[in-house]
Amino acid sequence: MIENYFKLKQFGTTMKTEVLAGFTTFLTMVYIIIVNPAILSAAGIPFNQVFMATIIAAVIGTLTMGLFAKYPIAVAPGMGLNAYFTTVVASQGLTYQAVLGTVFLAGLVIIVLSLTNLRKVLIEAIPAPLKFGITAGIGLFIAFLGLKMAGIVQPNDETMITLGNLTEPVTALAIGGLLLTLILMAKRVTGALFLGMIATAIAGFFLGLLQFDGFISMPPAPTLINITEAVSGVFSNGLYTVVFAFILVTIFDSTGTLVGVSEQGGFMKEGKLERTKPATLSDAFATTAGAAFGTSPSCAYIESSAGVAAGGRTGLTSVVVAALFLVSMFLSPAIAAIALLPAITAPILIIVGCFMMEGLAKIQWRNFDDAFPAFAIILTMPLTSSIATGIAVGFITYPIMKVVTGKWKEVHPLIYVFAVIFLIQMIYFPMH
């Protein structure tokens, strides 16, 4: 029954592969249930409330993606959006309830946009060079993230970034885990990414780097905010630009990830993606429900590319991820220990970054009006640590290049509209 529902044979996959892919994706993104509460608690939201809200949003979004869109893409509260949330609360002296109201309204607007054809048209309107650039840009972004997490590179005042201390225990463990996983990949061992993480975790435990203060604990009770009060706070404080910023960044973060991972997994057919509505509704439902329980907007997760690289091809991968998030409610001490040792997941992000470079071969590099916008995306995403900013730069430069070369008719009208919107947003409402 499960095999027929997800059409495993049609996609050349098995239940074992999908389950392994689900575990791989989950382990690369589970840090969010610890990191998100840590960030949002600085805005005044109780840690336990955000912990439960994060899991609820992830389960709702990822199950919607898995059961209805049937893609191996996970959804959870987004990094960057949570930091922006905290900044808004701190800089404008607002209550966190009012800012949760902006997230709730943004979620409702995104639901409406997803029910129309706008997001579907947007995905299909993105020209091929930008799609390939987005995929590669995300690849470099997550590889760079992996390098930073592992301590292989570190900040430097003079050169911005430099080589880290490779003799640091966590860094050395990450390098060892990376080499082992590379060997497993080269030998084409089934479940190489997952096995690499397990082996690194075991090594970390015996080296004293992975310490458990327990494994099981009862989850705190979820807490619903007062929606009416939160939404009225949006209007009384005139927080319309914050709502707009959340809508724009959530949509384009998710769209970028959806396009990038779909290109990687071969789900895009002639630039089109099937079952677009349920796929785009996933982050909308997660954002709205997440806000009601106490967390910032949700989006499709770039770490899903790790599950795709591990062989995940259907929604069964996402269902496994959602189930693991549910179980994580009861395993918070063990999850926290694993999430606090970046050496376990950093090697996977670095390797997956390599997989996502494949689309670069399809860019017509001799056509400068195609090449430069793609290059701009690839350059900007890792340097700004923002998928949305990379997409914005691509959307702005692509139509400019086409207009000045007399090829303006090749550009979909929607691209011109969003180029103007992104230009205004980057000048007047930048998200740092």
Side-chain angles (χ1 to χ4, degrees):
M1 184 178 173
I2 293 176
E3 290 186 1
N4 291 336
Y5 183 79
F6 292 107
K7 300 178 182 177
L8 300 186
K9 286 185 179 178
Q10 181 181 322
F11 288 97
T13 184
T14 64
M15 198 172 297
K16 178 185 175 184
T17 300
E18 295 292 301
V19 170
L20 276 175
F23 269 92
T24 302
T25 294
F26 175 74
L27 287 173
T28 57
M29 66 180 287
V30 69
Y31 66 85
I32 194 62
I33 70 171
I34 303 300
V35 175
N36 198 46
I39 292 173
L40 291 180
S41 58
I45 313 178
F47 187 96
N48 284 343
Q49 182 177 351
V50 186
F51 175 78
M52 290 303 293
T54 302
I55 292 174
I56 290 168
V59 170
I60 290 172
T62 306
L63 269 184
T64 304
M65 183 71 79
L67 293 175
F68 302 106
K70 298 181 183 177
Y71 289 119
I73 298 172
V75 176
M79 289 295 292
L81 289 163
N82 48 16
Y84 177 64
F85 182 104
T86 302
T87 302
V88 171
V89 173
S91 63
Q92 300 189 30
L94 301 164
T95 63
Y96 72 78
Q97 289 90 345
V99 186
L100 284 173
T102 67
V103 178
F104 185 79
L105 287 178
L108 292 180
V109 172
I110 297 169
I111 288 174
V112 172
L113 293 176
S114 299
L115 288 171
T116 67
N117 281 328
L118 179 64
R119 292 184 74 177
K120 181 176 185 290
V121 171
L122 176 61
I123 288 173
E124 293 175 2
I126 300 173
L130 296 193
K131 282 177 178 167
F132 298 135
I134 288 167
T135 307
I138 290 173
L140 278 184
F141 176 25
I142 64 175
F144 184 50
L145 182 65
L147 291 170
K148 286 197 295 182
M149 284 168 56
I152 295 172
V153 298
Q154 61 185 27
N156 179 279
D157 290 338
E158 295 177 4
T159 60
M160 286 188 6
I161 201 88
T162 189
L163 187 67
N165 181 358
L166 305 187
T167 60
E168 282 286 329
V170 173
T171 306
L173 176 63
I175 293 171
L178 175 61
L179 291 173
L180 173 63
T181 310
L182 287 172
I183 292 168
L184 294 173
M185 292 294 300
K187 293 285 187 180
R188 301 185 183 278
V189 174
T190 303
L193 295 176
F194 180 67
L195 292 174
M197 281 191 283
I198 295 299
T200 307
I202 292 170
F205 179 76
F206 284 108
L207 290 170
L209 299 174
L210 180 59
Q211 297 174 337
F212 296 100
D213 294 324
F215 290 90
I216 299 174
S217 66
M218 286 301 294
T223 307
L224 267 171
I225 66 164
N226 187 323
I227 299 293
T228 306
E229 187 181 305
V231 171
S232 65
V234 176
F235 296 106
S236 62
N237 290 289
L239 301 176
Y240 311 112
T241 57
V242 178
V243 175
F244 177 73
F246 278 138
I247 292 169
L248 200 62
V249 177
T250 301
I251 285 178
F252 277 91
D253 255 10
S254 271
T255 300
T257 300
L258 203 56
V259 168
V261 178
S262 296
E263 284 286 355
Q264 178 197 359
F267 311 135
M268 300 282 286
K269 306 297 180 185
E270 297 178 359
K272 296 184 178 181
L273 187 68
E274 295 180 354
R275 305 179 301 282
T276 308
K277 281 187 181 177
T280 54
L281 277 168
S282 301
D283 61 75
F285 288 155
T287 294
T288 310
F293 283 97
T295 187
S296 48
S298 296
C299 56
Y301 252 60
I302 53 175
E303 285 84 355
S304 304
S305 52
V308 173
R313 289 294 178 274
T314 75
L316 182 54
T317 294
S318 296
V319 172
V320 171
V321 175
L324 290 171
F325 267 111
L326 275 175
V327 173
S328 70
M329 284 186 188
F330 301 90
L331 300 175
S332 57
I335 295 294
I338 293 169
L340 291 171
L341 182 57
I344 297 172
T345 53
I348 309 307
L349 299 182
I350 296 166
I351 292 170
V352 169
C354 172
F355 287 136
M356 299 188 76
M357 296 295 108
E358 185 181 351
L360 293 180
K362 300 175 185 176
I363 296 173
Q364 301 296 317
W365 291 104
R366 293 187 179 181
N367 294 342
F368 192 67
D369 50 320
D370 281 348
F372 185 81
F375 166 76
I377 294 172
I378 296 163
L379 182 70
T380 309
M381 276 191 192
L383 291 182
T384 62
S385 295
S386 170
I387 294 173
T389 300
I391 293 173
V393 170
F395 267 63
I396 293 167
T397 55
Y398 185 81
I400 291 173
M401 299 296 288
K402 291 298 181 182
V403 168
V404 299
T405 52
K407 301 176 184 176
W408 60 273
K409 289 183 179 179
E410 292 181 11
V411 184
H412 193 286
L414 204 56
I415 303 298
Y416 287 113
V417 172
F418 276 104
V420 174
I421 291 173
F422 273 127
L423 193 59
I424 293 169
Q425 188 248 331
M426 289 184 76
I427 295 170
Y428 296 105
F429 313 110
M431 289 185 67
H432 299 295

